[in-house]
Amino acid sequence: MAPHPWTLLALPLVVLLLASVSPPGADAWGKEGHIMVCKIAENYLSEKAAAAVQDLLPPSAGGELSTVCPWADQARWHYHWSSPLHYANTPEVCGFKYSRDCHNSRGQQGMCVVGAINNYTDQLYSYGHSKSSYNLTESLMFLAHFVGDVHQPLHVGYEEDEGGNTIMLHWYRRKENLHHVWDVSIIDTAIKDFYNKSMDNMVETLKMNLTDGWSDDISHWENCANKRATCANDYAIESIHLSCNYAYKDVEQNITLGDDYFFSRYPVVQKRLAQAGIRLALILNRIFDGDETDIKPVQIQ
């Protein structure tokens, strides 16, 4: 699939067209979720990819990709055109179709999370070429964030309820919406109840699962027919299926969700965080390793 022609640095017309567009609920995973995805990815970067990432990171990152992975959520307030890039919505069907679903509210094709992943991947392939016209630091930060986003099931949800944003409920005693439950509350509850309020402890558990419980699944997670770009389309299809079978299932307006929902959905969240990290590493390794990968899997340690 060819990347969408819009770019980060050649967008005066696009900015004018999209400045008034600010779709709700584009946070995804919350800060902690995005940091965890990138901490996992950092662990599986090849030597060349790790060096390229270090070269592209801003000084404020302190040498860690995970530090800048939440950045795109902040950037959307001054890059208004980027808001639709955090998600894709379907017309209340349990399947994602790029030609139907990947657009913004003005109908511009490619302006969704799948188009964004493909576009910023394509931009990063210009790394090392003196004629690159892109801000590759921002391309990297956008890509790392959007790979996390596409794995949050409700970032490929129903257009009618804005990916669960208009479904109001109680998470235990706290009033919020369904989208926020999946962005933040399931993770926060797990960190509080299982990991002594430590995100790093949860990250270590996810890493252990990658070398143990999920080790047989990882080669399947890495399957991707598109050897140059991404399989973001497949990841979006996975997410809408999970939205239908888990996120939306047995949920209605003003319901109270508690232990039954948490314990049955938390394993889904765990696996999606891990998958996002592995797949982000795979994409970055493909970009920066050049012909040497063709295309070898990430090394699980």
Side-chain angles (χ1 to χ4, degrees), residues 50-234:
V53 167
Q54 287 294 313
D55 184 42
L56 290 173
L57 286 175
S60 60
E64 295 187 13
L65 177 62
S66 59
T67 303
V68 299
C69 286
W71 170 82
D73 280 334
Q74 303 152 10
R76 67 193 176 99
W77 299 113
H78 42 272
Y79 292 154
H80 294 287
W81 49 265
S82 72
S83 286
L85 307 184
H86 292 255
Y87 62 90
N89 288 326
T90 79
E92 208 166 354
V93 297
C94 296
F96 172 80
K97 186 177 180 181
Y98 187 92
S99 60
R100 181 192 63 204
D101 303 325
C102 192
H103 56 81
N104 62 17
S105 62
R106 296 177 181 270
Q108 291 176 292
Q109 283 294 108
M111 297 295 286
C112 80
V113 66
V114 174
I117 291 170
N118 291 337
N119 185 66
Y120 289 115
T121 295
D122 191 66
Q123 290 186 19
L124 285 166
Y125 271 111
S126 69
Y127 175 77
H129 299 280
S130 59
K131 294 183 179 179
S132 176
S133 60
Y134 304 118
N135 182 333
L136 295 183
T137 292
E138 293 195 344
S139 300
L140 173 64
M141 295 191 294
F142 271 127
L143 175 64
H145 185 94
F146 293 143
V147 172
D149 278 356
V150 78
H151 284 82
Q152 202 276 60
L154 282 175
H155 272 248
V156 190
Y158 295 156
E159 184 175 16
E160 182 181 48
D161 55 50
E162 299 169 4
N165 272 285
T166 66
I167 300 177
M168 302 305 301
L169 48 80
H170 282 85
W171 179 249
Y172 294 90
R173 296 182 180 180
R174 187 173 182 174
K175 187 174 183 179
E176 54 192 65
N177 64 57
L178 181 64
H179 190 97
H180 189 266
V181 167
W182 283 80
D183 272 356
V184 175
S185 299
I186 292 176
I187 291 174
D188 282 355
T189 299
I191 290 174
K192 174 177 173 287
D193 291 353
F194 300 154
Y195 301 108
N196 197 27
K197 300 182 180 179
S198 169
M199 178 184 65
D200 288 339
N201 288 345
M202 183 170 172
V203 172
E204 290 307 309
T205 297
L206 292 173
K207 289 179 179 177
M208 285 192 297
N209 285 342
L210 285 167
T211 59
D212 187 12
W214 295 323
S215 59
D216 293 337
D217 299 329
I218 290 171
S219 61
H220 176 68
W221 298 354
E222 293 179 323
N223 285 344
C224 181
N226 190 337
K227 297 302 183 184
R228 175 173 170 82
T230 77
C231 279
N233 200 79
D234 296 339

Side-chain angles (χ1 to χ4, degrees), residues 285-300:
N285 290 346
R286 285 175 169 171
I287 292 169
F288 297 120
D289 279 3
D291 294 335
E292 293 181 16
T293 52
D294 200 41
I295 292 304
K296 60 187 178 185
V298 297
Q299 298 300 305
I300 303 300

Side-chain angles (χ1 to χ4, degrees), residues 170-173 186 189 193-194 256-267:
H170 282 85
W171 179 249
Y172 294 90
R173 296 182 180 180
I186 292 176
T189 299
D193 291 353
F194 300 154
T256 296
L257 300 178
D259 284 350
D260 287 347
Y261 193 91
F262 171 68
F263 284 109
S264 57
R265 274 61 172 184
Y266 174 56

